[in-house]
Amino acid sequence: MSSGLAFSRMNNKLVFFSALVLMLLVYGFRQAIFIAPTELTMGNIQRIFYYHVPSAFVAFTCFFANLIASLWYLKSRRLSADAWALATAEVGVIFCTIVLVTGPLWARPVWGIWWTWDARLTSTLLLWLIYVSYLLLRRFSTSGQTPVLAAVLAIFGSVDVVFVYMSIRWFRTQHPQPVMGPGGGGLDPRMGYALLANFIAFAAYGALLVTLRRNLELRRQRIEERHAMGALAGASR
Amino acid sequence: MMLFLPRNLILAYAFTWLVHLCYLAFLALRSRRLRREEAELDRMQTPREAKREVPAQNRGA
């Protein structure tokens, strides 16, 4: 009874959070398309920036959270840590896919090419491939050690996250240097506000997806456990 | 305000939301499948537990 009540309370919280996320996303979209000023040299195509950069931020945050969850799993062997690891990797791959597609859609009219093998683009593609292989390993491996192998692979993958982030500082790349922070050219305040609105909206949306996916994985683990208990009970009779 | 939106901008935004909608649909389908599996397990385990309880009650009586 009390667990049912707690579940319904959690569901209510998730419904409320989903509604909040939807409002933030609509607000972010409005800021990006209608409120932010048009960039002088690139024109309206620059508005891809408001989806491309926050998606990259969420992907990196998910992969970082995946590293933490993987280390936690290796230390404690708790199934909940494994559920967090799977959820963050899957959502990270979704956002990384968006980065890899919106980037070339922006590059084509601005650079004149869809793709170039510079350090930032190549390492991002490599990052995507590492985490896709992580998900494939988890999906198709029949070994009982799969979560351990996946956690170790995640540690290697996280090294590439640092490389992707630093690549535009370490190498001369076609990909532009950061516009914010030290050494950046800066942003028009209205552009900065639109970017911030989308950062918050996408971060909240990413957190929602990770929570939903983790809840599903926990449920799957419980079902698997019940199957195993049922098989044991059947064998002992 | 009416904006002229380049084709690639529309494609980028549409792709983003298409991917997210597909992922949400995947989560919904998976949730439904797990719920069904849970219900199936409940149905399979409830009669077995009930059978086990009856003799115990009889013994007590």
Side-chain angles (χ1 to χ4, degrees):
Chain A
M1 179 72 184
S2 64
S3 72
L5 198 67
F7 182 73
S8 111
R9 259 190 217 138
M10 196 182 73
N11 261 3
N12 283 345
K13 272 185 196 166
L14 270 181
V15 169
F16 175 76
F17 187 50
S18 306
L20 180 71
V21 166
L22 185 65
M23 282 192 288
L24 285 171
L25 287 168
V26 170
Y27 182 72
F29 177 81
R30 186 171 170 271
Q31 286 291 325
I33 297 292
F34 298 107
I35 309 293
T38 306
E39 211 266 344
L40 283 177
T41 47
M42 287 186 271
N44 278 325
I45 195 72
Q46 179 270 346
R47 292 177 197 277
I48 292 180
F49 173 71
Y50 303 113
Y51 270 28
H52 179 76
V53 179
S55 295
F57 165 74
V58 176
F60 288 175
T61 309
C62 282
F63 294 144
F64 181 69
N66 175 261
L67 170 69
I68 304 288
S70 300
L71 290 172
W72 179 28
Y73 177 75
L74 287 177
K75 190 172 182 291
S76 67
R77 301 295 159 110
R78 284 176 64 149
L79 287 176
S80 60
D82 190 47
W84 278 117
L86 173 68
T88 48
E90 209 170 275
V91 175
V93 165
I94 295 291
F95 279 94
C96 196
T97 307
I98 289 164
V99 173
L100 281 170
V101 172
T102 54
L105 284 170
W106 186 6
R108 177 68 180 135
V110 176
W111 299 345
I113 46 170
W114 293 101
W115 184 265
T116 179
W117 295 101
D118 81 352
R120 169 56 76 89
L121 276 66
T122 310
S123 56
T124 308
L125 180 64
L126 189 66
L127 183 71
W128 183 82
L129 287 171
I130 290 171
Y131 281 95
V132 167
S133 56
Y134 171 95
L135 294 177
L136 289 175
L137 171 74
R138 297 196 62 118
R139 177 71 183 80
F140 294 109
S141 169
T142 51
S143 158
Q145 293 292 306
T146 303
V148 178
L149 294 173
V152 173
L153 180 59
I155 294 170
F156 284 106
S158 65
V159 176
D160 194 37
V161 176
V162 179
F163 188 83
V164 173
Y165 184 74
M166 295 306 292
S167 57
I168 50 174
R169 293 163 179 85
W170 289 343
F171 300 96
R172 284 180 64 187
T173 55
Q174 176 83 25
H175 190 282
Q177 297 291 312
V179 287
M180 293 157 296
L187 269 181
D188 180 288
R190 283 170 302 166
M191 286 180 170
Y193 184 74
L195 182 66
L196 180 69
N198 279 293
F199 258 115
I200 294 169
F202 275 68
Y205 181 57
L208 176 70
L209 287 183
V210 168
T211 309
L212 291 173
R213 185 67 184 93
R214 171 215 165 243
N215 289 351
L216 281 186
E217 181 58 15
L218 285 178
R219 201 194 279 178
R220 191 200 62 78
Q221 287 172 355
R222 275 199 299 271
I223 290 173
E224 204 171 86
E225 204 173 305
R226 283 178 70 182
H227 273 299
M229 297 295 279
L232 270 177
S236 65
R237 237 179 286 130
Chain B
M1 184 174 78
M2 195 62 198
L3 281 173
F4 165 72
L5 299 177
R7 192 191 61 181
N8 281 18
L9 175 68
I10 296 168
L11 281 176
Y13 276 50
F15 178 81
T16 301
W17 287 113
L18 184 70
V19 169
H20 286 314
L21 288 177
C22 286
Y23 188 62
L24 285 173
F26 161 77
L27 291 182
L29 285 175
R30 198 166 167 81
S31 168
R32 203 172 68 171
R33 212 182 70 191
L34 289 174
R35 214 176 305 136
R36 255 192 229 150
E37 222 170 304
E38 259 175 350
E40 184 81 9
L41 270 172
D42 286 341
R43 228 187 10 250
M44 277 164 59
Q45 286 179 357
T46 309
R48 200 187 298 154
E49 278 158 16
K51 269 183 214 162
R52 238 181 279 152
E53 274 168 23
V54 172
Q57 282 166 354
N58 288 348
R59 269 201 304 276

